[in-house]
Amino acid sequence: MVDTLNIDINKTAKSRIQEVDFTNIPFGKVYSDHMFVADFEGGQWKNFRIKPYEPLQLSPANATLHYGQSVFEGMKAYKNEAGEVLVFRPKANFLRLNKSAERMCIPQISEEMFMQGLDELLKLDQDWVPDLPNTSLYIRPFIFAADDYIGIRPSDTYRFMIFTCPVGAYYSEPVKVKIETKYSRAAAGGTGAAKAAGNYAGSLYPAMQAHKQGYHQLIWTDALTHQYIEESGTMNVMFVIGDTLLTSPAGDTILAGITRDSVLTLAREWGYKVEERKVSVKEVMEAIEAGTLKEAFGTGTAATIAQIAVIGHEGKDHTLPAVEGREFSNRVLKSLDEIKTGRAEDKWNWVHKF
Ligand SMILES: Cc1ncc(COP(=O)(O)O)c(C=O)c1O
């Protein structure tokens, strides 16, 4: 039986929605009216509440600020033709948040807290879910250490929050990426499989170096040999080489992307040859050289399918086949879009409606 959460709801006196130009929304800068909050104190989650979106008051000694004991998720909501709100695979995000939390010594949250907090928040802010093409409501659940204590140990108190922001496209064009062979995102036994805040801080410096060289993003390679492709920024990476869809196995150092799983599920359903195995840089370079690399793209909630136009490696840029001719990734992008917005059959029960 699912327990009903007792959520205290305090609505904003004045919505900010009129201030938003939904035809031109920057990614991640506009926040909806409300947020869901819960506290972990005395060994349990309590004080479930929805309140107007507002800044937090934190002690300078807040543990998260110093040691990064914090995990997060990212998912999206869309509107169907009837104007109902559809959230794409939130249960998968809930499960992954708990997996990340375990790795970072953060207490588990219940499915009721995650789903009911989400549903109530979306009911209140449903007008913030955009319905124009390439727009959606990005949803950010996260948990952070709340102790005011600068000794290093797991915090005794935590806060779980969800806020949302209407967003437009993450990338406005096919991306130029550089294969990173010096720095690493994650090492075996590290925190790469968790959506832990610090992973992203550590990735900024190498990404900034690549930006200066004109690349949008990096493709990370394994920390030990730099010979195998891992993932890219906030995306998993896939290639179509010959007639095979190829991607590195999610695991210790690679985040198990939910878009990745959805794309692989559709590919298998459509009868494509799919291989989840280590993909070497050499193999990709040789396929580009031989003309057998047909498609390369990133998969992630923020970008959905980000076409890769150019791959830089060891100082040389390799231009990939034109995006228009890419059969698989264009098909999967269209299909995912139709499922998410309720225009195609939801065979795997991916879409959640409150
Ligand atoms: C490091 C990393 N890899 C891959 C992904 C893609 O995962 P998903 O498809 O669940 O958004 C993300 C985004 O969540 C990420 O942060």
Side-chain angles (χ1 to χ4, degrees):
M1 209 194 84
V2 176
D3 291 333
T4 304
L5 226 58
N6 192 0
I7 303 176
D8 182 45
I9 296 179
N10 172 17
K11 283 193 204 170
T12 181
K14 190 173 182 313
S15 172
R16 289 176 283 101
I17 201 162
Q18 302 306 336
E19 298 162 19
V20 180
D21 175 5
F22 279 88
T23 62
N24 182 24
I25 333 173
F27 191 95
K29 288 190 178 166
V30 177
Y31 307 107
S32 313
D33 281 331
H34 299 92
M35 59 190 191
F36 175 79
V37 191
D39 302 312
F40 186 85
E41 287 165 7
Q44 58 178 330
W45 287 105
K46 53 173 77 156
N47 308 334
F48 310 115
R49 58 204 186 273
I50 288 177
K51 57 194 288 199
Y53 180 92
E54 63 182 12
L56 301 172
Q57 265 211 331
L58 290 180
S59 155
N62 169 272
T64 302
L65 298 180
H66 301 271
Y67 309 123
Q69 199 196 0
S70 170
V71 294
F72 68 99
E73 269 305 328
M75 54 198 182
K76 279 180 173 173
Y78 303 81
K79 269 192 181 149
N80 65 12
E81 272 162 10
E84 294 169 307
V85 176
L86 310 179
V87 190
F88 189 66
R89 304 193 69 178
K91 176 88 185 287
N93 291 91
F94 157 70
L95 292 170
R96 191 171 65 185
L97 185 62
N98 269 343
K99 197 169 158 242
S100 301
E102 185 181 8
R103 178 64 180 84
M104 304 307 288
C105 282
I106 290 173
Q108 298 285 289
I109 61 169
S110 70
E111 187 172 341
E112 289 88 60
M113 180 167 101
F114 186 92
M115 293 306 299
Q116 290 176 38
L118 175 68
D119 282 356
E120 291 308 316
L121 183 64
L122 292 181
K123 271 182 213 166
L124 211 56
D125 282 342
Q126 53 186 297
D127 290 347
W128 287 83
V129 183
D131 54 5
L132 295 169
N134 293 322
T135 63
S136 56
L137 188 78
Y138 186 81
I139 303 167
R140 169 54 57 88
F142 63 114
I143 317 174
F144 65 93
D147 278 8
D148 300 338
Y149 177 63
I150 54 164
I152 301 188
R153 57 143 173 79
S155 185
D156 287 329
T157 60
Y158 295 85
R159 191 165 293 176
F160 170 67
M161 304 183 69
I162 310 176
F163 67 82
T164 70
C165 34
V167 293
Y170 194 70
Y171 290 117
S172 53
E173 56 185 355
V175 295
K176 195 172 163 187
V177 297
K178 182 185 123 179
I179 297 185
E180 176 60 56
T181 50
K182 178 177 177 195
Y183 297 100
S184 330
R185 189 192 84 93
T191 58
K195 231 171 138 54
N199 288 345
Y200 298 82
S203 71
L204 295 176
Y205 181 79
M208 283 304 114
Q209 305 302 308
H211 276 195
K212 284 186 198 152
Q213 296 162 6
Y215 298 97
H216 293 96
Q217 245 328 325
L218 294 173
I219 292 187
W220 298 105
T221 51
D222 70 288
L224 199 60
T225 69
H226 293 297
Q227 285 176 18
Y228 294 94
I229 303 278
E230 298 230 304
E231 57 179 314
S232 175
T234 56
M235 302 184 295
N236 296 104
V237 183
M238 298 194 182
F239 302 93
V240 177
I241 297 182
D243 64 351
T244 305
L245 176 67
L246 211 60
T247 193
S248 310
D252 201 22
T253 57
I254 300 178
L255 192 83
I258 293 159
T259 318
R260 175 188 182 279
D261 179 75
S262 311
V263 169
L264 295 179
T265 302
L266 287 171
R268 291 190 172 110
E269 166 80 6
W270 296 337
Y272 280 81
K273 217 165 113 191
V274 175
E275 287 181 14
E276 287 179 76
R277 60 160 172 85
K278 284 172 88 169
V279 180
S280 70
V281 175
K282 185 164 170 271
E283 172 178 11
V284 170
M285 288 303 131
E286 284 175 357
I288 293 174
E289 204 66 26
T292 51
L293 189 140
K294 295 181 183 156
E295 309 186 29
F297 54 96
T299 69
T301 297
T304 313
I305 303 292
Q307 295 289 0
I308 296 175
V310 173
I311 298 183
H313 178 53
E314 290 177 346
K316 195 169 169 225
D317 283 348
H318 304 266
T319 301
L320 306 188
V323 167
E324 298 73 38
R326 300 184 184 186
E327 186 201 306
F328 176 75
S329 43
N330 284 321
R331 181 177 176 193
V332 88
L333 174 61
K334 183 165 176 281
S335 185
L336 278 175
D337 197 46
E338 286 171 355
I339 296 171
K340 289 170 175 182
T341 52
R343 287 175 289 134
E345 187 196 355
D346 176 24
K347 215 169 158 176
W348 297 275
N349 248 327
W350 284 340
V351 170
H352 168 81
K353 228 195 274 185
F354 51 73

